[in-house]
Amino acid sequence: MIVETGHYALVLALALALINAVLPLWGTFTRDVRLMAVTPSVALMQCAFVVLAYGALTYAHIVSDFSLVNVVENSHSAKPLIYKISGVWGNHEGSMLLWVLVLALFGGAVAFFSRSMPADLRACVLAVQAWIGSAFLLFILLTSNPFARLAAPPIEGNDLNPLLQDPGLAIHPPLLYFGYVGLSITFSFAAGALICGRIDALWARTVRPWILIAWIALTLGIAMGSYWAYYTLGWGGFWFWDPVENASLMPWLAATALLHSAAVMEKRDALKIWTIFLAILAFSFSLIGTFLVRSGVLTSVHAFASDPRRGIFILAILVFFIGGSLTLFAWRAPILKQGGLFAPISREAALVINNLLLTTACATVFVGTLYPLALEALTGEKISVGAPFFNATFVPLSIPLFLLIPFGQSLAWKRGDLYGVAQRLAFAILCGLGFMLLVALWHGGPVLSVIMAGLALFTIIGSFTDLALRLFGHTAAGSEIWARLRGLPRSAFGTAFAHAGLGVTLLGLAATGWGAERIAHMKVGETVDVGGYELTLTELTPRQGPNYTELVGRTSVRSGGIEKAVIEPSQRFFPARRSSRAEAGIVTLGLGQVYMSIAEQSPDGGVNVRMFWKPLVILIWIGALIMGFGGLLSLSDRRLRLGLARRTAALRQGRPQPAE
């Protein structure tokens, strides 16, 4: 009965989405306040029904209801509870339901928290969000029903893909979806603003928190995904330029550009057309990524579906929303008035250059990802575009971007002093150059790694330079420093931490050029040196897990004759799936990691092993956490809420808006 309730809830959610897709727009065009006022309540009801449906599917997985096709194909009664819950989104149908759940949650959040928005703008935003929800609810009900029943249920299920039976899966997809799908609300804000003609600084301030939420989630989701690949796939890599990995990177690059562009629009009422276009572009890349994952055009560990009918349906959704939004943009963009002017040397100009670099980098990833698919579709020829292409195109664009970050952050609005900023950043510049020299003398290694290391330290120190000068400049006393600290907006701290986090991640990436790798065949008692550590295989032991068996290679990690740690890489076999996967053994030593994975046992009793020493590797993910923390600091800035209410009240009363 619970399962049927979930199915009916999806149907009711579709009906409510269709109502919200039509009535608010009609109310906007006819200026009917009552129709516009209905929108938030309907959005909240739609959200409640989708939550009910998702809860029903989760319940079916937890109790192992094998009368559902989805549970049979993706679960097992012996599977641990955490993987039963995460298994809900570890398949095509369940992940699409998560897609719709995030859509509905963002629509419900706008309905609940944006009461100070102008009524027509809120109605249009929720209407566009309802159109998106209707399309994907139809997709689920017509092609990907997660509640399909079996006439003769089996006694046991087929289990979940072994690669997905990992704690990282309980974190990575929900975070990624909140970013990936969360960009739908920025798209809805852009389309809604174009429909009702409200494109101004008030709109930018209204949409900025939603951009931040999506950006934070997408940042952390991508970082968690790279860490999952790093320790789960057994090959020691955190990024392979896989087309599906690229499909999440492209929206992140576009969202980052959008976040900076919205700041210019909010502060200076400029870049209106560009900001609206980026809001459309960011969600368009999310739709393209969804098509790549679920159309069957890619074969990847990340891909969910290979049914061409589903691909055609998603392609139709993609064409409708991208084509429709761009048509609306072309129709309404010419009526936008020019905003504030700024000098070529100013913070606005730096943010414009930042946008150009980010979008160009996004374009290179887009071309590298889709070109092989287009070539195969047109000519039948298969080619592979991998790391060499992306390193040759993406990296040269990243270097000037990192150079620009501290300078842009320190420049004044409207008109800046480049020479004065360079003087203020002199310490950061010297630290970066000195670190490059130190690394070159100490580690050597690839020239690019040396450059990236110096650039990373310059970015980290430079990100806090302006903040430090504003707090401690002009020999301020302790009480004055405290007063300045209380007076600075949280967004200033958030910006500094987010930019510094990017520098920390860059330092971790730079250090990949200083690591060591060994591939060997080892028997019990043998020792192999890697990166200054001695790894001794002490025993090979079979072990029984809840739904798998594994061969564990207990290994001692020593340095200078002293045991630093014991790691247990293993090779796991899942009988229900008749498949196996490597479970890496990893130990963190300082900021680096010793990494080891083993293959199946050979007839001579030994195992093939792959070992790495990865210095500073955890900085890659620490940097992402710092970026997320910076985003949360900016999101907590009270000005985003109080300023919006103040501007809205002034607008309603016909008074001039208060200055920033």
Side-chain angles (χ1 to χ4, degrees), residues 350-497:
L351 290 172
V352 169
I353 299 172
N354 160 285
N355 270 221
L356 292 174
L357 290 170
L358 285 169
T359 51
T360 305
C362 186
T364 63
V365 177
F366 178 78
V367 171
T369 303
L370 293 190
Y371 176 72
L373 303 177
L375 184 66
E376 183 180 356
L378 294 174
T379 66
E381 181 183 354
K382 291 187 177 182
I383 65 169
S384 176
V385 175
F389 168 81
F390 292 106
N391 290 339
T393 55
F394 189 85
V395 173
L397 292 168
S398 302
I399 291 175
L401 182 63
F402 279 93
L403 282 171
L404 181 66
I405 287 173
F407 279 92
Q409 188 178 331
S410 300
L411 283 168
W413 293 99
K414 196 173 182 179
R415 183 180 297 276
D417 179 7
L418 186 60
Y419 179 70
V421 169
Q423 286 181 313
R424 293 195 292 273
L425 291 173
F427 178 72
I429 294 170
L430 290 174
C431 286
L433 293 173
F435 191 53
M436 287 173 59
L437 180 61
L438 180 65
V439 168
L441 295 175
W442 180 33
H443 266 296
V447 175
L448 184 60
S449 291
V450 174
I451 295 172
M452 288 171 61
L455 194 57
L457 189 63
F458 165 69
T459 303
I460 295 168
I461 297 175
S463 297
F464 288 105
T465 297
D466 181 62
L467 200 60
L469 290 174
R470 292 166 72 177
L471 286 174
F472 305 106
H474 306 296
T475 61
S479 58
E480 188 177 350
I481 292 173
W482 176 247
R484 291 179 181 180
L485 180 64
R486 294 182 61 186
L488 281 175
R490 290 180 190 172
S491 60
F493 291 92
T495 299
F497 274 100

Side-chain angles (χ1 to χ4, degrees), residues 178-190:
F178 261 87
Y180 212 56
V181 185
L183 290 172
S184 65
I185 203 67
T186 64
F187 172 88
S188 297
F189 267 96

Side-chain angles (χ1 to χ4, degrees), residues 512-523:
T512 57
W514 313 328
E517 177 184 1
R518 288 288 302 274
I519 298 175
H521 183 77
M522 294 181 69
K523 295 181 181 179

Side-chain angles (χ1 to χ4, degrees), residues 506-575:
L506 180 64
L507 184 56
L509 293 172
T512 57
W514 313 328
E517 177 184 1
R518 288 288 302 274
I519 298 175
H521 183 77
M522 294 181 69
K523 295 181 181 179
V524 174
E526 292 185 346
T527 299
V528 174
D529 293 338
V530 57
Y533 292 93
E534 302 92 39
L535 276 64
T536 304
L537 184 63
T538 58
E539 59 179 301
L540 286 169
T541 309
R543 194 159 61 190
Q544 179 66 48
N547 60 330
Y548 60 84
T549 59
E550 64 177 341
L551 178 69
V552 180
R554 186 177 178 85
T555 304
S556 173
V557 180
R558 295 176 175 271
S559 178
I562 301 173
E563 186 174 81
K564 297 294 185 179
V566 174
I567 54 178
E568 294 188 339
S570 66
Q571 185 69 213
R572 292 182 177 178
F573 177 73
F574 294 78

